Amino acid sequence: TQDIYECKTCGLMNTFCCCSECAKTCHAGHDYKLKTLSQTAYCDCWVKGPCKSLVAGDQDVRMSLFKQLLKDTNSSELYNDKGEPLLFSLLQTVIRQMREVR
């Protein structure tokens, strides 16, 4: 579960949202607030402008967290709200982000 934010400054509202990392990185100084907690939402920051977090994030830290997730959880047997394997959702997000960074 992660915190999901909306940003009035950028128009990330209603069905659009941004993650904690983007709220602090891309939307610092904007009019943003906590919207909800979600297990399945993904960040729409890139929809409204260039996302700094996709490029500027610490890839070594991300890889370390990913390895820890695989090691410490039974992620292959967990499912999201749509009934999809959580690992599949994570993989889809990574693929989408890799396309966006290009």
Side-chain angles (χ1 to χ4, degrees):
T1 304
Q2 67 172 328
D3 292 338
I4 298 299
Y5 295 84
E6 64 181 14
C7 180
K8 290 182 182 179
T9 306
C10 296
L12 287 174
M13 299 168 53
N14 301 318
T15 59
F16 294 107
C17 61
C18 66
C19 65
S20 299
E21 185 175 353
C22 287
K24 294 173 187 168
T25 305
C26 305
H27 304 275
H30 292 192
D31 183 10
Y32 73 88
K33 68 177 185 175
L34 181 65
K35 184 175 187 172
T36 187
L37 295 173
S38 177
Q39 291 182 340
T40 59
Y42 65 88
C43 186
D44 298 307
C45 179
W46 60 275
V47 171
K48 299 291 183 174
C51 178
K52 299 173 192 169
S53 296
L54 287 174
V55 177
D58 188 329
Q59 300 302 318
D60 291 335
V61 170
R62 287 181 179 163
M63 183 56 75
S64 175
L65 288 171
F66 180 66
K67 287 179 181 178
Q68 184 177 349
L69 173 73
L70 292 176
K71 179 179 159 240
D72 295 344
T73 67
N74 199 3
S75 54
S76 63
E77 296 180 13
L78 299 175
Y79 295 86
N80 65 18
D81 296 339
K82 296 176 184 177
E84 302 167 330
L86 199 54
L87 214 48
F88 178 70
S89 297
L90 180 60
L91 180 59
Q92 286 181 315
T93 301
V94 169
I95 290 169
R96 177 182 54 83
Q97 289 179 343
M98 288 173 63
R99 286 183 189 143
E100 292 161 9
V101 170
R102 289 183 198 170

